[in-house]
Coordinates of all heavy atoms in Angstrom, one line a residue:
V258 N -1.6 -2.2 -8.5 CA -0.5 -2.2 -7.5 C 0.5 -3.3 -7.9 O 1.7 -3.0 -7.8 CB -1.1 -2.4 -6.1 CG1 0.1 -2.7 -5.1 CG2 -1.9 -1.2 -5.7
A259 N 0.0 -4.4 -8.4 CA 0.9 -5.5 -8.8 C 1.8 -5.0 -9.9 O 3.0 -5.3 -9.9 CB 0.1 -6.7 -9.2
S260 N 1.2 -4.3 -10.9 CA 2.0 -3.9 -12.0 C 3.0 -2.8 -11.6 O 4.1 -2.9 -12.0 CB 1.0 -3.3 -13.1 OG 1.7 -2.7 -14.1
K261 N 2.6 -1.8 -10.8 CA 3.5 -0.7 -10.4 C 4.6 -1.2 -9.6 O 5.8 -0.7 -9.7 CB 2.7 0.3 -9.6 CG 1.8 1.2 -10.5 CD 1.2 2.3 -9.7 CE 0.2 3.1 -10.5 NZ 0.8 3.8 -11.6
L262 N 4.4 -2.2 -8.7 CA 5.4 -2.6 -7.7 C 6.1 -3.9 -8.2 O 7.0 -4.4 -7.6 CB 4.8 -2.9 -6.4 CG 4.2 -1.7 -5.7 CD1 3.6 -2.0 -4.3 CD2 5.2 -0.6 -5.5
R263 N 5.7 -4.4 -9.4 CA 6.3 -5.6 -9.9 C 6.2 -6.8 -9.0 O 7.3 -7.5 -8.7 CB 7.7 -5.4 -10.4 CG 7.7 -4.4 -11.6 CD 9.1 -4.2 -12.1 NE 9.0 -3.1 -13.1 CZ 10.0 -2.8 -13.9 NH1 11.1 -3.4 -13.8 NH2 9.8 -1.9 -14.8
I264 N 5.0 -7.0 -8.4 CA 4.8 -8.2 -7.6 C 3.7 -9.0 -8.2 O 3.0 -8.5 -9.1 CB 4.4 -7.8 -6.1 CG1 3.1 -6.9 -6.1 CG2 5.6 -7.0 -5.4 CD1 2.6 -6.6 -4.7
S265 N 3.5 -10.2 -7.7 CA 2.4 -11.1 -8.4 C 1.0 -10.5 -8.0 O 0.8 -9.9 -7.0 CB 2.5 -12.5 -7.9 OG 2.1 -12.6 -6.6
V266 N 0.1 -10.8 -8.9 CA -1.3 -10.3 -8.7 C -1.8 -11.0 -7.5 O -2.6 -10.4 -6.7 CB -2.1 -10.7 -10.0 CG1 -3.6 -10.4 -9.7 CG2 -1.6 -9.9 -11.2
T267 N -1.5 -12.3 -7.3 CA -2.0 -13.0 -6.1 C -1.5 -12.3 -4.8 O -2.3 -12.1 -3.9 CB -1.5 -14.4 -6.1 OG1 -1.9 -15.0 -7.3 CG2 -2.0 -15.2 -4.9
T268 N -0.2 -12.0 -4.7 CA 0.3 -11.3 -3.6 C -0.4 -9.9 -3.4 O -0.7 -9.6 -2.3 CB 1.8 -11.1 -3.7 OG1 2.5 -12.3 -3.8 CG2 2.4 -10.3 -2.5
S269 N -0.6 -9.2 -4.5 CA -1.2 -7.9 -4.4 C -2.6 -8.0 -3.9 O -3.1 -7.2 -3.0 CB -1.2 -7.2 -5.8 OG -1.8 -6.0 -5.7
R270 N -3.4 -9.1 -4.3 CA -4.7 -9.2 -3.8 C -4.8 -9.6 -2.3 O -5.6 -9.1 -1.6 CB -5.4 -10.3 -4.6 CG -6.9 -10.4 -4.3 CD -7.6 -11.4 -5.2 NE -7.1 -12.7 -5.0 CZ -7.3 -13.7 -5.8 NH1 -8.1 -13.6 -6.9 NH2 -6.8 -14.9 -5.6
V271 N -3.8 -10.4 -1.9 CA -3.8 -10.8 -0.5 C -3.4 -9.5 0.3 O -4.0 -9.2 1.4 CB -2.7 -11.9 -0.3 CG1 -2.4 -12.0 1.2 CG2 -3.1 -13.2 -0.8
W272 N -2.5 -8.7 -0.2 CA -2.1 -7.5 0.5 C -3.3 -6.5 0.6 O -3.5 -5.8 1.5 CB -0.9 -6.8 -0.2 CG 0.4 -7.5 0.1 CD1 0.5 -8.7 0.8 CD2 1.7 -7.1 -0.3 NE1 1.9 -9.0 0.8 CE2 2.6 -8.0 0.2 CE3 2.1 -6.0 -1.0 CZ2 4.0 -7.9 0.0 CZ3 3.5 -5.9 -1.2 CH2 4.4 -6.8 -0.7
R273 N -4.1 -6.4 -0.5 CA -5.2 -5.6 -0.5 C -6.2 -6.0 0.6 O -6.7 -5.1 1.3 CB -6.0 -5.6 -1.9 CG -7.1 -4.6 -2.0 CD -8.4 -5.1 -2.6 NE -8.7 -6.5 -2.5 CZ -9.2 -7.1 -3.5 NH1 -9.4 -6.6 -4.7 NH2 -9.5 -8.4 -3.4
D274 N -6.4 -7.3 0.7 CA -7.3 -7.8 1.8 C -6.8 -7.4 3.1 O -7.5 -7.0 4.0 CB -7.6 -9.3 1.6 CG -8.3 -9.6 0.4 OD1 -8.9 -8.7 -0.3 OD2 -8.3 -10.8 0.0
K275 N -5.5 -7.6 3.3 CA -4.9 -7.3 4.6 C -4.9 -5.8 4.9 O -5.1 -5.4 6.0 CB -3.4 -7.8 4.6 CG -3.3 -9.3 4.7 CD -1.9 -9.7 4.9 CE -1.8 -11.2 5.1 NZ -0.5 -11.7 5.6
H276 N -4.7 -5.0 3.8 CA -4.8 -3.5 4.0 C -6.2 -3.2 4.4 O -6.4 -2.3 5.3 CB -4.5 -2.8 2.7 CG -4.6 -1.4 2.7 ND1 -3.7 -0.6 3.4 CD2 -5.6 -0.5 2.2 CE1 -4.1 0.7 3.3 NE2 -5.2 0.7 2.6
A277 N -7.3 -3.8 3.8 CA -8.6 -3.5 4.2 C -8.9 -3.9 5.7 O -9.7 -3.2 6.4 CB -9.6 -4.2 3.3
A278 N -8.2 -5.0 6.1 CA -8.4 -5.4 7.5 C -7.5 -4.7 8.5 O -7.6 -4.9 9.7 CB -8.1 -6.9 7.6
G279 N -6.6 -3.8 7.9 CA -5.7 -3.1 8.8 C -4.5 -3.9 9.3 O -3.9 -3.5 10.3
T280 N -4.1 -5.0 8.6 CA -3.1 -5.9 9.0 C -1.9 -5.9 8.1 O -0.9 -6.7 8.3 CB -3.6 -7.3 9.3 OG1 -4.1 -7.8 8.1 CG2 -4.6 -7.3 10.4
L281 N -1.9 -5.2 7.0 CA -0.8 -5.2 6.0 C 0.5 -4.8 6.6 O 1.5 -5.4 6.3 CB -1.1 -4.4 4.8 CG -0.1 -4.4 3.7 CD1 0.3 -5.8 3.2 CD2 -0.5 -3.5 2.6
L282 N 0.5 -3.8 7.4 CA 1.8 -3.3 7.9 C 2.1 -3.8 9.4 O 2.8 -3.2 10.1 CB 1.8 -1.8 7.9 CG 1.6 -1.2 6.5 CD1 1.5 0.4 6.6 CD2 2.8 -1.6 5.6
G283 N 1.5 -4.9 9.7 CA 1.7 -5.5 11.0 C 0.8 -5.0 12.1 O 1.1 -5.2 13.3
L284 N -0.2 -4.3 11.7 CA -1.1 -3.7 12.7 C -2.3 -4.7 12.9 O -2.6 -5.5 12.0 CB -1.7 -2.4 12.3 CG -0.6 -1.4 11.9 CD1 -1.2 -0.1 11.3 CD2 0.2 -1.0 13.1
G285 N -3.0 -4.6 14.0 CA -4.2 -5.5 14.2 C -3.8 -6.8 14.7 O -2.6 -7.0 15.1

């Protein structure tokens, strides 16, 4: 995801964790 969207690997990992928790898009 970091490579495809040209974002940092750290940001992508944080977003992956938030996605798993259901909070990436402001939910939860």
Side-chain angles (χ1 to χ4, degrees):
V258 171
S260 176
K261 287 185 182 298
L262 299 179
R263 296 183 182 188
I264 60 175
S265 74
V266 172
T267 304
T268 299
S269 182
R270 187 174 62 193
V271 168
W272 286 5
R273 186 224 25 223
D274 293 345
K275 288 185 176 194
H276 177 72
T280 59
L281 178 59
L282 300 176
L284 308 172

